[in-house]
Amino acid sequence: MEKPVIFKSGGQQVVGMLHLPAHTKKKVPAVVFFHGYKGNKSESHRMFTKTSRMLAEIGIASLRFDFRGQGDSEGDFSTMTIGGEMKDAKAALKFIRQQPEIDTTRIGIVGFSLGAMVASLIVGEDPKIKTTVLWSAVSDLAPLIKARMTPEAWRQLELMGCVDEYGWAVGKRFIDESSSFDPISALVKTKGHVLLIHGDDDHAVPVQSTLDYSAALKKARKPHFVHIIPGADHTYNSLQWEMEILSLTLEWFRMHLQKKG
């Protein structure tokens, strides 16, 4: 079963889609999806939608939602910040845990790109997250922002308080806070297993980002698995790459969420 849902974050409406397995009498595990920068609850070529439907078929519920200022949720993108997306993520986790069908001891997260950075920060604060999957994860936002800031972008920021990025108004606060968060240090606080997936031809978020997460997890002796997809770009834009990432993710949650304990 799939049903549109609405919950609140920061006094604004957040729109999502709740997927529940059919014909289940027992409480089921659940996965919450965090989309990427300028993304939405379906994500590129509907990767989140497809994964949610596959999870429902094996008895795992899921929640996809739009961060405020993106997709169908309230808010303006110009006010989007990492702190704001963390607030939305916490609201989404609270919402899924309130659903009567959900086993709150078996909650997982999928984060994509900037959403993977948000996921890492959330995991650092929420020890009850059982397992985490990161796709094309951002580990250090500041250099990625710096690379986008041309002289013209700096002029726009000074004059308008935002940067016009292909019709998206990127706010000053988001740019200013880009070096204020440390998702790697947050992720190593996890008490669950972590799956890291990245394409080695990713020009938006270099594969080194995932390798940095892995190095920190290894040093902290935290269980994790890294899968690099040869030739894959940032959004896995081929049927082969898509099936690889979806299949790995599905099997990961089958192993780490379906069994209690």
Side-chain angles (χ1 to χ4, degrees):
M1 180 178 69
E2 301 176 17
K3 63 177 181 179
V5 295
I6 293 171
F7 54 93
K8 292 286 183 120
S9 176
Q12 293 179 307
Q13 180 173 281
V14 176
V15 178
M17 183 68 75
L18 179 65
H19 294 249
L20 294 171
H23 313 302
T24 181
K25 295 180 180 180
K26 297 180 180 180
K27 288 183 180 289
V28 297
V31 173
V32 181
F33 289 80
F34 301 160
H35 68 73
Y37 181 66
K38 300 185 293 187
N40 59 66
K41 59 185 172 290
S42 285
E43 257 311 335
S44 184
H45 45 98
R46 305 179 80 211
M47 288 191 296
F48 278 8
T49 303
K50 294 170 186 176
T51 308
S52 285
R53 289 173 177 170
M54 291 168 71
L55 287 169
E57 289 178 1
I58 64 168
I60 299 176
S62 61
L63 173 65
R64 302 179 286 109
F65 70 96
D66 298 320
F67 286 116
R68 285 177 293 159
Q70 295 159 84
D72 296 313
S73 292
E74 282 189 320
D76 192 284
F77 189 76
S78 65
T79 64
M80 184 273 287
T81 63
I82 297 299
E85 292 203 344
M86 289 179 67
K87 183 177 289 186
D88 299 348
K90 291 173 184 176
L93 286 162
K94 180 179 179 181
F95 176 84
I96 197 72
R97 284 166 169 154
Q98 290 174 337
Q99 304 312 301
E101 302 91 346
I102 303 305
D103 179 351
T104 60
T105 67
R106 293 185 288 161
I107 302 293
I109 290 177
V110 172
F112 169 62
S113 192
L114 188 65
M117 174 177 169
V118 173
S120 299
L121 294 165
I122 291 296
V123 166
E125 296 183 7
D126 189 340
K128 294 182 180 179
I129 300 297
K130 189 171 178 64
T131 188
T132 305
V133 176
L134 304 182
W135 299 352
S136 308
V138 173
S139 63
D140 188 354
L141 182 59
L144 302 181
I145 294 292
K146 184 178 180 181
R148 294 170 180 262
M149 292 300 291
T150 63
E152 174 59 26
W154 285 114
R155 283 193 291 271
Q156 290 177 358
L157 191 63
E158 184 177 351
L159 291 172
M160 301 187 301
C162 65
V163 175
D164 181 353
E165 190 172 282
Y166 304 104
W168 292 84
V170 182
K172 185 176 187 300
R173 188 176 168 195
F174 174 72
I175 294 169
D176 287 346
E177 73 169 15
S178 62
S179 60
S180 301
F181 297 93
D182 186 353
I184 292 179
S185 294
L187 184 61
V188 297
K189 297 176 183 177
T190 184
K191 296 185 181 301
H193 291 67
V194 179
L195 172 63
L196 299 146
I197 304 175
H198 216 119
D200 70 2
D201 197 29
D202 187 338
H203 297 288
V205 180
V207 68
Q208 186 61 47
S209 182
T210 278
L211 299 179
D212 290 343
Y213 274 115
S214 176
L217 289 166
K218 183 176 182 180
K219 184 177 181 180
R221 296 184 179 180
K222 295 299 176 76
H224 70 287
F225 182 78
V226 179
H227 184 82
I228 306 301
I229 302 180
D233 58 16
H234 186 59
T235 51
Y236 310 95
N237 287 314
S238 83
L239 292 175
Q240 177 182 339
W241 297 334
E242 179 188 82
M243 184 51 62
E244 191 168 344
I245 190 173
L246 266 57
S247 298
L248 282 165
T249 300
L250 188 72
E251 186 58 32
W252 185 265
F253 286 126
R254 191 195 303 271
M255 288 191 300
H256 294 285
L257 284 185
Q258 281 197 320
K259 291 184 179 180
K260 291 186 178 182

